[in-house]
Amino acid sequence: MIPYYALVLIPYGIFLALSGRRKVSSALLRGVTLTVFFSILFCLLALRDETCGIDLARYALKYDEAANASWAEVWRSEKDTGYYLLQKLFRTCTADFGLFLAVVAFLSLVGLWIFYVRESGHAPLTLVLFLTVAPFTMFFSGLRQILAMAWTVPALCFARDNKLFRFLFAVAAASLFHMSGIVLLLLYPACRIRITPKWFYGLAPTMAAVLFLNKPIFRLFMQITGYDTYDMSDTGAYTVLILLVLFTVYVFVVPDESLMDKDTVALRNLLVLSVFLQCFAPVHTLAMRVNYYFLLFVPVLISRIPDRASRLWRPVARVSVWVMLLFFTGWFFLQAHMGADKLHVFPYVFRYA
């Protein structure tokens, strides 16, 4: 558990030590805190054992098998060609799977690190929400999908700046690493509209209806796209859905709309989209995995809201930061101690121990 304590408590300590100092601006404070956090996380990802992550042993086996595969065979892969080409390239250079893990860790984190440093409103809140609400454990297991998720930040930036061709390139690149990356196409329309609190009266009953009818709706979607429906089941994935609904109420009620810049509004739109996608998570794990791309933005959005609170809700917003910090920090450590994850990330195991 010590590595996970370090991942959380060292950035917290640095934030508290630097807070209030005249020579330390809020931007510098945010940058230092989150840089330390992502640096520690990179070390944990790069140095983990193959048992730390349920899929990692299988990835290690495939990495070794790549030595005997020809480039033509890799190129003809039916899906996730980008990942297998990257794997083949590195396996040609080195047999060290640990080095490959380090490179994948860097590629998957660098975009998030830059985005979080630039966009976060409160560094400790951002990092603890990343650990609990965003798909933190996926970074330890699903190499193909986290490389696809690495394109999420560029895709969002291109969508916000209305750079359509660059956006489409980012989506295509994500899809080469994991076929679920095609869902990033939803970023473009999500950044083009402005969902206001007035929409909430229509969104709430619509969300309720989608949740109530999630099985037939998802079954129809699977049939249209040609996927089998035999593995639809009750996944019990309601916790994150409840949290996302509470966050949605928070981001529509607390802020002063005149203080909501277009980037924050775009992030709020993505939260609404994420809620709709999460409505299908209780019936199929595919919906959960698709939503991972959008959950990455929730920590930044929530951290930006307190500074944009209306006069009426400003005291509540200040208190909410500390309440969320305490709650989600406790939740993370409770999960870690109980080993309450399906990806076998807890406890942490060093590769070279």
Side-chain angles (χ1 to χ4, degrees):
M1 284 302 300
I2 293 178
Y4 293 122
Y5 276 114
L7 180 62
V8 177
L9 298 182
I10 291 178
Y12 277 12
I14 290 174
F15 180 85
L16 292 174
L18 296 179
S19 295
R21 296 196 175 189
R22 295 181 180 179
K23 295 182 179 181
V24 180
S25 66
S26 60
L28 179 60
L29 177 62
R30 180 175 65 247
V32 171
T33 304
L34 290 172
T35 297
V36 170
F37 170 74
F38 277 103
S39 297
I40 298 173
L41 179 56
F42 166 75
C43 292
L44 295 184
L45 291 173
L47 299 175
R48 69 193 188 275
D49 187 72
E50 293 172 13
T51 60
C52 193
I54 193 170
D55 295 325
L56 217 56
R58 181 171 57 85
Y59 275 111
L61 180 62
K62 293 291 185 181
Y63 186 77
D64 288 336
E65 292 177 353
N68 299 321
S70 67
W71 284 97
E73 290 173 335
V74 175
W75 182 254
R76 289 195 299 267
S77 300
E78 293 184 2
K79 59 181 181 179
D80 307 337
T81 306
Y83 173 79
Y84 292 114
L85 286 172
L86 181 66
Q87 176 183 255
K88 176 63 177 177
L89 174 64
F90 274 87
R91 185 60 182 85
T92 302
C93 300
T94 177
D96 188 349
F97 182 63
L99 179 59
F100 180 67
L101 283 182
V103 172
V104 171
F106 176 79
L107 294 176
S108 63
L109 292 178
V110 63
L112 273 181
W113 163 63
I114 295 172
F115 182 79
Y116 278 25
V117 167
R118 289 179 177 176
E119 307 278 350
S120 171
H122 190 279
L125 182 57
T126 300
L127 72 87
V128 77
L129 289 175
F130 174 77
L131 292 173
T132 51
V133 179
F136 161 73
T137 55
M138 173 58 70
F139 284 81
F140 286 81
S141 186
L143 301 188
R144 290 174 298 163
Q145 187 163 359
I146 64 169
L147 285 169
M149 288 160 58
W151 289 94
T152 306
V153 169
L156 175 66
C157 294
F158 294 145
R160 291 193 311 193
D161 295 340
N162 201 26
K163 297 178 180 178
L164 179 59
F165 292 109
R166 294 183 183 183
F167 168 76
L168 293 175
F169 173 82
V171 175
S175 303
L176 281 176
F177 286 95
H178 198 274
M179 60 187 302
S180 62
I182 194 68
V183 75
L184 291 178
L185 285 172
L186 296 174
L187 285 173
Y188 205 83
C191 292
R192 306 264 72 77
I193 59 177
R194 185 182 181 93
I195 299 177
T196 66
K198 293 181 180 179
W199 290 49
F200 193 72
Y201 299 104
L203 288 173
T206 304
M207 289 176 182
V210 170
L211 181 61
F212 181 73
L213 299 171
N214 56 6
K215 284 188 178 180
I217 293 174
F218 196 80
R219 184 177 291 110
L220 177 62
F221 170 79
M222 296 286 277
Q223 291 173 347
I224 292 174
T225 55
Y227 285 97
D228 292 326
T229 59
Y230 69 90
D231 54 352
M232 288 181 62
S233 61
D234 185 4
T235 65
Y238 291 98
T239 304
V240 174
L241 176 60
I242 293 171
L243 281 174
L244 292 179
V245 170
L246 292 175
F247 284 153
T248 302
V249 175
Y250 181 76
V251 300
F252 276 104
V253 172
V254 170
D256 181 341
E257 286 301 306
S258 65
L259 301 177
M260 293 287 285
D261 56 278
K262 65 175 184 178
D263 290 344
T264 307
V265 169
L267 292 175
R268 186 169 65 180
N269 293 349
L270 293 178
L271 173 60
V272 173
L273 174 61
S274 184
V275 173
F276 277 104
L277 290 174
Q278 195 67 24
C279 285
F280 298 101
V283 300
H284 204 290
T285 56
L286 176 62
M288 296 172 61
R289 294 178 72 97
V290 165
N291 203 18
Y292 287 163
Y293 296 89
F294 305 109
L295 290 176
L296 292 172
F297 300 121
V298 173
V300 173
L301 169 63
I302 300 303
S303 72
R304 292 168 71 106
I305 297 301
D307 289 338
R308 292 164 174 78
S310 64
R311 182 176 299 180
L312 175 64
W313 289 97
R314 201 165 295 159
V316 175
R318 294 195 192 100
V319 174
S320 70
V321 172
W322 296 104
V323 170
M324 286 189 283
L325 273 175
L326 292 173
F327 175 78
F328 287 106
T329 301
W331 185 16
F332 174 71
F333 285 124
L334 180 62
Q335 285 183 310
H337 277 290
M338 295 177 61
D341 74 291
K342 297 179 180 179
L343 299 182
H344 298 178
V345 172
F346 309 116
Y348 183 81
V349 181
F350 278 104
R351 181 177 182 85
Y352 302 106

